[in-house]
Amino acid sequence: MEYIYEAFAKALQLITALDNELLAIVLLSLEVSLGALCIASLAAIPLGVAIGLRSFPLRGLVLSIVNTCVGLPPVVVGLFVFLFLSRSGPLGGLGLLYTPTAMVVAQIILAFPIIVSLVQSAVSGVDPMVRLTALTLGATPQQADRVVVREAGTGIIAALVAGYGRLAAEVGAILIVGGNIAGATRVMTTTIAMEADKGNFELALALGIILLSISLMINAVLSAMQQRGMRRNL
Amino acid sequence: MIWMTRTLIALACALVMPFSASAAEILCASTTSTENSGLFGSILPIFEKKTGIKVKVVARGTGAAIENGKRGDADVVFVHAREQELDAVKAGYFVNRHDVMYNDFVIIGPKNDPAKIKGARSAAEAMKKISASGLSFVSRGDKSGTHTKELELWKKIFVDPKGQKWYLEVGQGMEKTQRIAHEKQAYTLTDRGTWLATKDKDKLDMGIVFEGDPLLFNQYGIMAVNPEKHKHVKYAEAMQFVNWLVSKEGQQAIASFQDKNGNALFIANAKK
Amino acid sequence: MSLALVLGGVMRNYDGEPVFGPFSHTFEAGTTSVVMGPNGSGKSTLLRICAMLEPIDAGSIRFYDRDEELNQDLVLRRRVTLVFPKTTVFRGTVFDNIAYGLRIRDADPSSIVERVEEALVSVGLSHKIRQEARTLSSGEAQRLGIARALAIEPELLLLDEPTASVDEKHTAFIEEFIMSLGKQTRTTIVMSTHDRNQAEKLTKQILVMKKGIIASNP
């Protein structure tokens, strides 16, 4: 039990001291996870919307592939990206292994299927009457699609929240492709894993508390966006 | 929808100003024992100040570190598995291997030493006693230098521990392995540096039951990735680091490094 | 400014089974007609076919503006609208909901405000203009549905059991509203109901349907 108190005390102390090394680690964590989330979303939201709106041949197959990928173990994704980006791998010439870019790449792969899957279910879950109603009011099929997607807005934000949750908590993939290099690719989760390995449990737990607080703030921002989106005009 | 798209684009743009790497940095694949002991934190700033070269360390098991060098994913490799290092040099993956420093391995076990290891005349005898006692032995099981040394000892006494009930392969770093041994009241092979640095902090109810056999000598070596195998490696900078480590100044930096408790963990022994 | 609708031998199949028709009837321009019948008699199918939301499997459906037959394209679709038995509201305010049909027609913003306000006055919902549409009661939502349809000034207004989901007070209001609409404008109105009293209150043009066909015709 005393561990917990000490960890909270340490977390407070770390936050108030705000030393540069910790700040760099926190910023890099945010940059990698949010960056990967944004890039993944740019492709995953349109794809999820497309799958959610239309039925097409092999839709079921595409969906089960996507849903299987939701469960991809991060270490497997990490290993896969590692082998691709390694100097001896097909993309070795880019020299990306052990850089934040490599971490972003791995996290994009992790976020992509979750976002596609949840966006698709948000869109296909919209009451079919919404679409019909838009059509009776003179909407073209494309305009009707837009109404459906807008109605799915809450679900789409929820997909982003879930995607961020997976990325922020992830350690397996970014450890393999980032290497946990001090001052270069060290992020919150890899630091926590390392400090736990070293037996610095209070420090590890303190970092965990900070990570949790940041996730809490980001979720708050996203749900504020959600609220705003609800009230927003077309 | 527009507000969301805009936010996404803005964030994506913020990300595209990446992570540019300055020219004067090299990647060193090394072991968790060197990184976690704090050695790098102590000596690298001295080297960086002198040469302007930043050394980025990826800490892995010895096997993985050598593999990284072979694949060209590092410029220089600093590990402790002499035989494997020499094999890899012979195979043409590395050049200019030098001994740098050593520490030694010790066998640790429960304080009351139920297998009666204390007083064994050799490391081989100690290992034989453990295997005969039926008490548990925790193995790193991760192809690390420590693991390699342990396998060497088993081979010497013709025991194949794999699959035995008393043999626990955990696939973890040294400190975690020590803690598992502590929890299970088992024996394990560890390096003196990690042992000294962590036994008090982790409140380990364990003690050294065997030490001093020259077989347990743990030699660290450094070698540069062969630029003929991998054209992109920063060979010149890597060699600067190698040469500095074996120079009088580098050796002194290693010798004067102490852990938090004031223990000297490594003995510099470069032949110059 | 009103449309006539001529259906000839229209049939509709589901899963290969004929469920509707053959149905032949002419809805004259500027008249109010009521289609009656029990649940499953084909009233809703008829109205959806007239709204061009459902394809037909046999027969023909023709729209006329005076003597000119119209192409069944977006331009025609925008002259016709259908109000469902239970109105589905969109996200946003009451204003946003009613403005939707005008915005997709690229109406200019000032005329949108004007027409939304007009439509709200006519259904008695002016005081709710800024309210979140989802928070309306079912009766209010149904009036919203009617106002939303009116705002686009349809020339053929299809109403599928518009009082099915509302209480007596709202029923009376909606009935009165339809009567005055039929008198004031030249809009062609086709409405379905299962309530004979309601039908007789509104018009003499009453069709009775049974099992997908017309059982009696005035």
Side-chain angles (χ1 to χ4, degrees):
Chain A
M1 238 4 244
E2 72 198 276
Y3 268 136
I4 312 274
Y5 298 130
E6 282 171 38
F8 268 102
K10 186 125 192 167
L12 263 176
Q13 188 193 327
L14 283 173
I15 292 167
T16 47
L18 201 72
D19 83 291
N20 281 340
E21 199 187 333
L22 177 64
L23 191 65
I25 288 173
V26 170
L27 287 180
L28 185 66
S29 307
L30 286 175
E31 205 169 335
V32 168
S33 297
L34 287 176
L37 184 71
C38 293
I39 295 173
S41 306
L42 289 180
I45 293 178
L47 183 63
V49 165
I51 300 176
L53 282 175
R54 298 272 175 273
S55 62
F56 50 88
L58 300 182
R59 182 176 183 269
L61 183 67
V62 171
L63 263 182
S64 32
I65 291 172
V66 168
N67 287 333
T68 306
C69 290
V70 169
L72 274 178
V75 278
V76 174
V77 171
L79 191 59
F80 182 76
V81 174
F82 172 86
L83 291 173
F84 257 79
L85 296 183
S86 164
R87 288 289 181 174
S88 302
L91 301 176
L94 300 174
L96 287 178
L97 191 64
Y98 300 136
T99 63
T101 311
M103 297 154 81
V104 171
V105 169
Q107 292 217 316
I108 288 173
I109 297 174
L110 288 172
F112 189 82
I114 281 204
I115 301 175
V116 172
S117 171
L118 292 180
V119 166
Q120 141 354 83
S121 84
V123 170
S124 62
V126 170
D127 183 353
M129 285 307 292
V130 165
R131 184 185 181 76
L132 284 179
T133 301
L135 288 174
T136 63
L137 294 171
T140 63
Q142 293 75 24
Q143 286 169 333
D145 286 347
R146 239 171 282 156
V147 175
V148 172
V149 172
R150 206 171 70 93
E151 295 292 316
T154 314
I156 292 173
I157 300 268
L160 294 182
V161 171
Y164 177 75
R166 180 167 206 207
L167 299 190
E170 194 273 320
V171 59
I174 51 176
L175 185 58
I176 294 177
V177 304
N180 189 33
I181 299 171
T185 58
R186 189 162 289 175
V187 294
M188 300 286 289
T189 52
T190 59
T191 311
I192 292 170
M194 181 186 69
E195 294 301 341
D197 262 1
K198 288 204 271 182
N200 296 333
F201 295 132
E202 294 97 328
L203 179 58
L205 214 51
L207 290 168
I209 291 167
I210 296 176
L211 179 65
L212 210 62
S213 321
I214 292 172
S215 292
L216 206 65
M217 281 188 274
I218 291 193
N219 278 344
V221 169
L222 283 173
S223 53
M225 272 166 77
Q226 202 168 331
Q227 293 297 318
R228 215 177 120 210
M230 289 276 288
R231 284 195 298 269
R232 191 86 173 194
N233 298 347
L234 192 71
Chain B
M1 229 50 315
I2 299 164
W3 55 277
M4 204 155 92
T5 320
R6 266 196 218 129
T7 317
L8 286 179
I9 290 171
L11 282 167
C13 289
L15 191 92
V16 179
M17 32 154 224
F19 328 117
S20 59
S22 75
E25 50 179 47
I26 56 172
L27 202 57
C28 172
S30 187
T31 63
T32 40
S33 62
T34 27
E35 165 93 337
N36 287 0
S37 68
L39 174 71
F40 283 128
S42 159
I43 66 170
L44 291 183
I46 306 174
F47 174 69
E48 192 179 339
K49 205 167 166 194
K50 185 182 164 83
T51 60
I53 297 171
K54 188 170 162 45
V55 181
K56 297 201 287 184
V57 179
V58 178
R60 327 220 17 206
T62 291
I66 292 177
E67 194 55 38
N68 262 11
K70 282 187 181 175
R71 301 182 64 94
D73 294 327
D75 300 302
V76 64
V77 171
F78 187 15
V79 291
H80 55 97
R82 208 157 191 272
E83 296 303 311
Q84 282 183 53
E85 291 164 43
L86 291 174
D87 283 351
V89 170
K90 207 182 283 170
Y93 289 108
F94 301 97
V95 291
N96 294 312
R97 187 199 168 277
H98 293 276
D99 284 342
V100 175
M101 61 187 193
Y102 73 89
N103 63 354
D104 65 341
F105 291 114
V106 295
I107 300 174
I108 60 169
K111 278 215 172 109
N112 61 359
D113 189 19
K116 306 269 173 285
I117 310 300
K118 276 179 190 153
R121 275 157 306 173
S122 68
E125 192 189 330
M127 295 299 269
K128 208 175 263 173
K129 279 183 162 177
I130 294 171
S131 65
S133 72
L135 293 159
S136 294
F137 181 92
V138 181
S139 167
R140 290 277 295 270
D142 61 353
K143 280 192 175 174
S144 60
T146 313
H147 186 216
T148 307
K149 174 64 73 179
E150 177 213 318
L151 293 179
E152 200 182 307
L153 292 172
W154 292 124
K155 211 165 165 189
K156 206 170 164 68
I157 59 168
F158 304 107
V159 168
D160 181 9
K162 233 181 157 60
Q164 305 275 10
K165 232 180 15 211
W166 50 269
Y167 187 70
L168 313 169
E169 281 186 279
V170 294
Q172 310 268 7
M174 193 68 254
E175 195 175 339
K176 234 184 219 172
T177 303
Q178 285 184 167
R179 278 207 305 271
I180 295 169
H182 161 75
E183 299 290 345
K184 300 238 172 237
Q185 284 294 291
Y187 290 89
T188 192
L189 184 71
T190 182
D191 61 280
R192 193 185 294 273
T194 305
W195 166 249
L196 287 176
T198 58
K199 64 177 171 131
D200 296 326
K201 185 183 67 174
D202 289 355
K203 304 184 181 79
L204 299 179
D205 185 26
M206 309 270 283
I208 293 178
V209 295
F210 184 83
E211 62 188 324
D213 189 326
L215 243 187
L216 297 182
F217 189 81
N218 183 28
Q219 180 65 50
Y220 284 78
I222 189 154
M223 53 195 184
V225 174
N226 187 351
E228 281 169 25
K229 278 262 179 201
H230 294 287
K231 296 226 168 359
H232 66 272
V233 296
K234 295 177 182 139
Y235 178 68
E237 290 87 348
M239 280 313 296
Q240 259 182 286
F241 183 51
V242 172
N243 289 330
W244 179 78
L245 270 182
V246 300
S247 73
K248 211 170 150 199
E249 192 189 342
Q251 291 282 293
Q252 229 152 40
I254 292 170
S256 59
F257 164 66
Q258 295 180 335
D259 70 7
K260 282 180 281 190
N261 308 313
N263 300 305
L265 298 186
F266 300 100
I267 298 149
N269 73 333
K271 298 177 199 81
K272 239 288 154 88
Chain C
M1 285 288 281
S2 62
L3 298 178
L5 181 54
V6 181
L7 294 99
V10 171
M11 293 188 70
R12 180 80 180 114
N13 306 332
Y14 288 125
D15 300 327
E17 291 288 310
V19 291
F20 179 85
F23 186 99
S24 301
H25 186 75
T26 298
F27 296 102
E28 300 286 354
T31 60
T32 296
S33 314
V34 172
V35 182
M36 277 194 53
N39 287 338
S41 59
K43 305 187 297 290
S44 291
T45 305
L46 170 67
L47 291 173
R48 283 173 185 237
I49 287 171
C50 295
M52 291 164 280
L53 291 178
E54 273 198 40
I56 56 177
D57 295 306
S60 67
I61 171 164
R62 294 197 175 88
F63 294 84
Y64 292 92
D65 185 354
R66 297 196 187 84
D67 293 333
E68 184 197 352
E69 187 180 344
L70 305 169
N71 290 327
Q72 293 185 30
D73 55 12
L74 182 67
V75 178
L76 172 63
R77 271 215 300 116
R78 288 189 166 174
R79 297 167 76 174
V80 178
T81 192
L82 167 63
V83 175
F84 290 103
K86 189 170 183 309
T87 290
T88 303
V89 301
F90 299 145
R91 255 162 85 155
T93 60
V94 170
F95 179 91
D96 293 329
N97 267 270
I98 297 174
Y100 178 76
L102 301 169
R103 284 183 175 145
I104 58 174
R105 285 167 173 76
D106 294 320
D108 70 276
S110 62
S111 80
I112 289 178
V113 173
E114 204 174 295
R115 279 162 69 179
V116 170
E117 280 168 356
E118 244 171 64
L120 281 174
V121 168
S122 61
V123 298
L125 274 183
S126 298
H127 56 297
K128 303 267 184 183
I129 187 163
R130 292 284 154 219
Q131 191 168 322
E132 201 60 41
R134 285 188 178 179
T135 61
L136 296 179
S137 72
S138 61
E140 288 167 342
Q142 198 59 16
R143 278 149 72 182
L144 167 73
I146 292 171
R148 192 164 58 181
L150 280 184
I152 58 178
E153 296 176 347
E155 296 166 53
L156 171 59
L157 174 63
L158 305 160
L159 300 156
D160 190 3
E161 302 205 31
T163 57
S165 66
V166 305
D167 59 22
E168 271 174 42
K169 193 181 98 203
H170 279 103
T171 300
F173 180 91
I174 290 170
E175 284 170 357
E176 212 152 291
F177 175 76
I178 292 168
M179 271 190 279
S180 69
L181 186 72
K183 274 177 208 150
Q184 283 164 21
T185 67
R186 294 264 301 135
T187 306
T188 310
I189 299 173
V190 181
M191 174 181 140
S192 71
T193 183
H194 55 255
D195 178 352
R196 177 162 285 279
N197 289 335
Q198 185 174 55
E200 286 170 350
K201 240 186 275 179
L202 293 172
T203 182
K204 292 198 177 71
Q205 312 287 325
I206 299 174
L207 293 181
V208 180
M209 289 189 71
K210 219 178 218 173
K211 293 182 182 160
I213 57 171
I214 297 174
S216 79
N217 202 338

